[in-house]
C-alpha cells in the first residue's frame, strides 16, 4: 500500500459525563504517509454520530497512481473512515448531497486527468465516475482534462435531485506559454448518474482553471460566473445563465473583465458591498488586480492593483471595520510564475476600495484565508495557515501555523500549534464541529523532502483538528474555501 496511517494522537481531551449525555471535546493530529494535498477540507456527518466528519482530496506525485486520493476522517477522533484510490491527484474540494436515499450525504469531488466521482458517504464505495469508458488513463481520448470544484444547481433532468455544474479544462501536458490549448468547457451533469446534460465551450476558446460560481435568482433563473486563461495566457471573466448552458451555447456570455496578458484563475466572491441588497462580484486576476463589480449594472465599483504581482487565491470577505459593508482580504504573489517567492497581503475597505492594510512576507501559497470573530469584539479576523522557513542545524525546515489578523485593533497573533511542514494550497475550515459553541479549526500541511523540496513529491500529509476555547458569539460568514456554505456567497 502506498498509503499508510502512521499516527493519531489526541492533544487535548475533555470528557463530560451526565446521566443522559456523554460528550468528548478533543484536538487531534493525523499524519498520512506518501501523500499531499491541493484540496481544502470540507465537513459533513458521514457516520451519523452528530459530529461533522472531514473529507479532503489528496494524492501522491502528480501523474502517479495513489491508493488514497480522497480521504474521510472521523471528526471526533481523526480515525480514517474510508479512502479511495486515484490515477492522479484530486485537487478539487468536495460537495455533499444524498443521492442514494440512505440519509447520509454522498461525496462529489474532482481532480486531475478528468477525475470526477460520486462516492457513497457511508463506506467510500463508488456510485459513479465520469467517462468510465475511457481508453487512456488521463481521459484525453475523450477530450477531457482537469475538473475543478463543483456546485449544485436546480434539478435539470427531472429526477427530483439537484444536479451539478462544473468546469473542465487545463491540459497539464501543455508547455508554459504555448497558446495552443484545448478550450475549457462548462458541464451540467446528473448528480444521480453522472450523465452529461449540457456541454458548453467557453466563448473565447481559452483554457479554464476556475471553479464556477452560481447564484440562484429563482429555480429557473441561475447566474453562472466562470473565468478563462491561465498563468501565462490571456483570459476573461464571464457571466452567463444556466438556461444558455443547458442549450449548449454560451457564446452570448457577457464579459465582465479582461486581461491581455494573463487569465482569471481564482473563483469570485459574491457579497453586497454597496448596500443595494444585491450581491456584487469580487474577483482576483492573475495580473495582480482585485476587482469589485456591481451586481446590477456589471460596472466596476472599484479596483486595486499591485504591479509585478500575480493572484491565485480567492478574495476573503469579512466585517473588518466599523461600517456594516463587507471588506476584503487578499494575498498576491510577487514575481512571475513560476518564480514566486514573496507575497503582498492586504485588506481593502469594501465600501470605498481603499487599501487599509498591507505587508510583504517571504512566502507564497495558493491557499486562501477564512474569517471569524475569534476575539469576541464584533469584528472579523482573517485566519491564514502561514508557512515559514527555519534553519535547523544543516537543513531548511518549514513550519506552518495559524495566524489571525485583527484589523480593528491593528495586530496579529498566532492561533494553535505549529505543524512541521508547509501549506501551499489548502484553505482552513473554521466552525463548530461538536456543537459546544466554541470554534474548531481544521488545517493541513504537507511535508516534502527537506533536501530536494520537490513540490511534486510529497512525503506526507498532516491533518489537524484544533478545538479552541474561543466562544462563538457569531458564526463565521466565510469559514471555508469558497465560503461557509461552499457556494462563494458571503452570508
Amino acid at each position: 500500500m502506498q498509503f499508510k496511517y502512521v499516527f493519531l494522537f489526541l492533544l487535548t481531551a475533555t470528557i463530560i459525563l451526565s446521566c443522559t449525555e456523554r460528550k468528548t471535546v478533543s484536538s487531534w493530529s493525523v499524519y498520512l504517509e506518501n501523500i499531499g494535498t491541493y484540496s481544502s477540507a470540507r465537513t459533513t456527518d458521514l457516520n451519523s454520530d452528530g459530529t461533522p466528519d472531514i473529507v479532503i482530496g489528496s494524492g501522491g506525485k502528480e501523474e502517479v497512481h495513489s491508493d488514497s486520493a480522497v480521504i474521510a476522517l472521523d471528526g471526533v477522533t481523526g480515525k480514517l473512515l474510508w479512502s479511495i484510490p486515484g490515477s492522479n491527484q484530486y485537487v478539487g474540494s468536495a460537495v455533499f448531497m444524498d443521492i442514494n436515499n440512505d440519509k447520509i450525504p454522498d461525496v462529489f469531488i474532482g481532480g486531475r486527468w478528468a477525475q470526477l466521482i460520486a462516492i457513497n458517504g457511508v463506506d467510500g464505495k463508488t456510485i459513479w465516475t465520469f467517462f468510465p469508458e475511457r481508453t487512456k488513463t488521463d481521459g484525453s481520448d475523450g477530450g477531457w482534462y482537469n475538473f475543478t470544484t463543483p456546485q449544485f444547481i436546480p434539478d435539470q433532468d427531472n429526477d427530483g435531485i439537484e444536479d451539478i455544474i462544473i468546469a473542465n479544462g487545463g491540459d497539464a501536458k501543455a508547455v508554459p506559454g504555448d497558446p495552443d490549448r484545448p478550450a475549457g468547457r462548462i458541464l451540467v451533469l446528473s448528480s444521480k448518474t453522472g450523465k452529461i446534460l449540457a456541454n458548453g465551450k467557453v466563448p473565447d476558446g481559452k483554457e479554464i482553471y476556475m471553479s464556477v460560481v452560481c447564484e440562484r435568482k429563482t429555480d429557473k433563473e441561475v447566474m453562472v460566473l466562470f473565468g478563462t486563461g491561465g498563468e501565462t495566457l490571456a483570459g476573461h471573466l464571464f457571466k452567463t445563465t444556466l438556461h444558455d448552458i443547458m442549450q449548449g451555447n454560451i457564446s452570448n456570455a457577457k464579459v465582465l473583465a479582461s486581461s491581455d496578458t494573463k487569465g482569471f484563475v481564482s473563483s469570485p466572491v459574491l457579497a453586497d458591498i454597496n448596500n443595494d441588497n444585491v450581491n456584487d462580484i469580487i474577483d482576483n486576476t492573475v495580473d495582480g488586480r482585485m476587482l469589485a463589480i456591481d451586481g446590477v449594472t456589471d460596472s466596476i465599483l472599484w479596483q486595486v492593483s499591485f504591479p509585478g504581482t500575480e493572484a491565485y487565491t480567492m478574495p476573503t470577505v469579512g466585517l473588518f471595520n466599523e461600517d456594516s459593508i463587507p471588506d476584503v482580504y487578499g494575498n498576491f504573489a510577487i514575481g512571475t510564475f513560476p518564480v514566486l517567492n514573496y507575497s503582498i497581503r492586504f485588506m481593502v475597505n469594501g465600501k470605498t476600495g481603499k487599501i487599509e492594510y498591507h505587508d510583504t512576507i517571504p512566502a507564497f501559497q495558493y491557499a486562501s484565508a477564512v474569517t471569524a470573530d475569534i476575539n469576541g469584539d464584533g469584528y472579523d479576523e482573517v485566519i491564514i495557515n502561514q508557512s515559514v522557513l527555519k534553519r535547523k542545524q544543516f537543513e531548511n525546515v518549514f513550519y506552518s501555523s495559524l495566524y489571525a489578523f485583527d484589523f480593528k485593533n491593528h495586530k496579529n497573533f498566532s492561533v494553535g500549534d505549529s505543524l512541521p511542514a508547509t501549506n501551499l494550497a489548502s484553505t482552513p475550515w473554521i466552525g463548530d464541529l461538536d456543537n459546544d459553541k466554541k470554534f474548531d479549526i481544521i488545517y493541513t500541511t504537507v511535508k516534502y523532502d527537506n533536501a530536494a523540496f520537490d513540490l511534486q513529491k510529497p512525503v506526507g500529509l498532516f491533518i489537524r483538528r484544533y478545538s479552541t476555547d474561543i466562544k462563538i458569539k457569531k458564526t463565521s460568514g466565510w469559514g471555508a474555501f469558497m465560503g461557509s456554505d461552499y457556494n462563494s456567497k458571503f452570508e
Side-chain angles (χ1 to χ4, degrees), residues 91-118:
V91 296
S93 296
V95 295
F96 311 103
M97 183 171 61
D98 178 18
I99 60 171
N100 57 8
N101 296 317
D102 64 358
K103 309 302 181 184
I104 301 297
D106 302 304
V107 179
F108 302 82
I109 191 168
R112 304 189 196 275
W113 278 4
Q115 295 180 113
L116 178 63
I117 191 168

Side-chain angles (χ1 to χ4, degrees), residues 56 328 381 396 465:
I56 191 167
V328 193
E381 283 73 52
N396 293 325
R465 171 185 169 178

